[in-house]
Amino acid sequence: MQITHIDAIPFLLPLRRVARFASGARERADHVLVRVHTDEGLVGQAEAQPRPYTYGETQASIVAAIREHLSAAVTGLDPLATERIDERIGALVGNTVARGAVDLAVWDLVGKLLDRPCRELLGGYAPDVAAAHMISHGDPAAMAAEAVEYAERWGISTFKVKVGRELAVDIAATTAIREALPDAELYVDANRGWDEDGARRAVQALLPLGIRSIEEPVPVDDRDARRRLAALWPVPLVGDESCTSLASTARELDAGAVGTVSVKVARTGFTDSRRILGLCLGRGIPVTVGSQYEGAIGAITTASFAPAFAATAGRAAEVMNYTDLADDLLAVPPDVRGGRIVPPSGPGLGIEIDEDKLDHYRLDS
Ligand code: MUC
Ligand code: MG
């Protein structure tokens, strides 16, 4: 079997709410459906989410990277040769999310070809994983109400609270959520919104609220500040935007700048994500399987990776923000029960696109 070409289909989904955070806002769910085609009619699929404030990519740049570079780079290759495919797509610098989505779609294809779910092919450690929800910026009372809604409706007990605003607002929001859910596991993500001094003051005030970790407090370039803060704080500093590749993660770990790493399959695919996981395992560094506000396809993709490994199956994965969308492309939505997400049992990612919805939401026809 050979790959013949890759389609990149831009689409736009309606939102239930805009997600705001210190580095920007997800105001449009303008994602890209990636389809890897083969000469035997089998097709692998995945979703790419443009995040210009993190990687510089846009919906148009992702479509162009796939149509103009990545499709030709993998044409003629055997879908099972994931290392060779990774080498070819790795020749395109930048374009992290475009490359990640191609890798994920190839893995979907591999699963279909072997008739096994990706979760099993990656490691098959557990059948499901606990689900975490990210609470984006808003009025503190509304943020607490959202956390309670997710606890009651979905059984969620782990929340990532977006901070990185004015100190008083960060404290008010985190306090409101803690008071509403005294037993919840809380961690905060500043998305580079503080400077070093602001981070010190904020975290001093947030620690008594029982936060588990602090994600990306200061600008990515300020590794020295991260190193000092990581040494100061009694809970881990989480690398997210500073750890977007295998090499950048290695540099952060070498510098002692992060104590936990957020691995996101949407940017490093399954292939590089499991390399990053191995790197962290070797250094005794815990990993959180993170989110970049994926849709339902992305949530299922993350839910196929997190339970596959012993090192990630025991920690809640960030999968719930597909519920920020008012509609999606899937015929069957993600299966979330009792605070856990259960990946589909079908081959590959086990997703089925509702073609009528795709026709409705696609932007290229
Ligand atoms: C996160 O963990 O930072 C914020 C922007 C984005 O793309 O994803 C997030 C979540
Ligand atoms: Mg983050």
Side-chain angles (χ1 to χ4, degrees), residues 63-343:
V63 169
I66 293 171
R67 289 186 185 161
E68 294 172 22
H69 297 279
L70 300 174
S71 179
V74 301
T75 294
L77 293 182
D78 178 343
L80 290 176
T82 55
E83 285 292 309
R84 194 162 283 280
I85 292 166
D86 176 65
E87 182 181 66
R88 292 275 186 89
I89 63 179
L92 179 67
V93 299
N95 295 286
T96 309
V97 175
R99 288 190 283 117
V102 169
D103 180 84
L104 296 169
V106 166
W107 274 95
D108 182 42
L109 192 49
V110 168
K112 286 175 171 162
L113 213 152
L114 300 178
D115 199 23
R116 303 303 287 259
C118 288
R119 182 194 63 79
E120 286 181 16
L121 296 176
L122 290 167
Y125 184 79
D128 60 14
V129 69
H133 179 57
M134 301 192 295
I135 311 276
S136 307
H137 286 173
D139 169 69
M143 291 171 72
E146 184 179 326
V148 170
E149 178 200 334
Y150 278 70
E152 288 175 352
R153 172 152 182 215
W154 304 97
I156 305 299
S157 58
T158 303
F159 297 91
K160 178 156 94 178
V161 183
K162 291 293 186 178
V163 292
R165 291 186 280 182
E166 280 175 34
L167 180 57
V169 184
D170 286 342
I171 295 169
T174 314
T175 302
I177 296 171
R178 172 53 77 215
E179 285 174 355
L181 295 171
D183 299 327
E185 189 156 342
L186 301 185
Y187 55 119
V188 297
D189 185 355
N191 285 113
R192 302 162 276 150
W194 295 320
D195 59 18
E196 185 175 356
D197 192 45
R200 268 205 198 93
R201 283 185 286 118
V203 170
Q204 202 174 9
L206 293 172
L207 281 171
L209 298 172
I211 54 168
R212 155 188 115 183
S213 56
I214 302 120
E215 190 161 315
E216 217 63 75
V218 295
V220 168
D221 285 344
D222 205 348
R223 181 177 295 147
D224 286 345
R226 262 194 307 287
R227 199 172 37 72
R228 288 188 289 269
L229 292 168
L232 179 73
W233 289 336
V235 297
L237 189 158
V238 184
D240 175 5
E241 293 96 319
S242 59
C243 295
T244 58
S245 66
L246 182 63
S248 60
T249 305
R251 285 195 288 271
E252 290 297 309
L253 297 181
D254 286 346
V258 302
T260 303
V261 170
S262 178
V263 171
K264 299 186 178 179
V265 297
R267 67 182 172 213
T268 42
F270 288 155
T271 300
D272 243 8
S273 293
R274 69 177 178 179
R275 292 182 186 137
I276 294 171
L277 184 56
L279 173 70
C280 293
L281 261 178
R283 308 278 181 95
I285 294 286
V287 163
T288 295
V289 181
S291 162
Q292 52 186 35
Y293 292 97
E294 294 83 2
I297 300 170
I300 284 176
T301 309
T302 299
S304 299
F305 183 86
F309 302 94
T312 50
R315 181 176 272 240
E318 296 166 4
V319 290
M320 288 306 292
N321 290 79
Y322 75 91
T323 56
D324 292 344
L325 304 175
D327 198 7
D328 218 306
L329 299 185
L330 289 185
V332 181
D335 180 1
V336 179
R337 292 176 241 162
R340 304 185 72 80
I341 184 163
V342 187

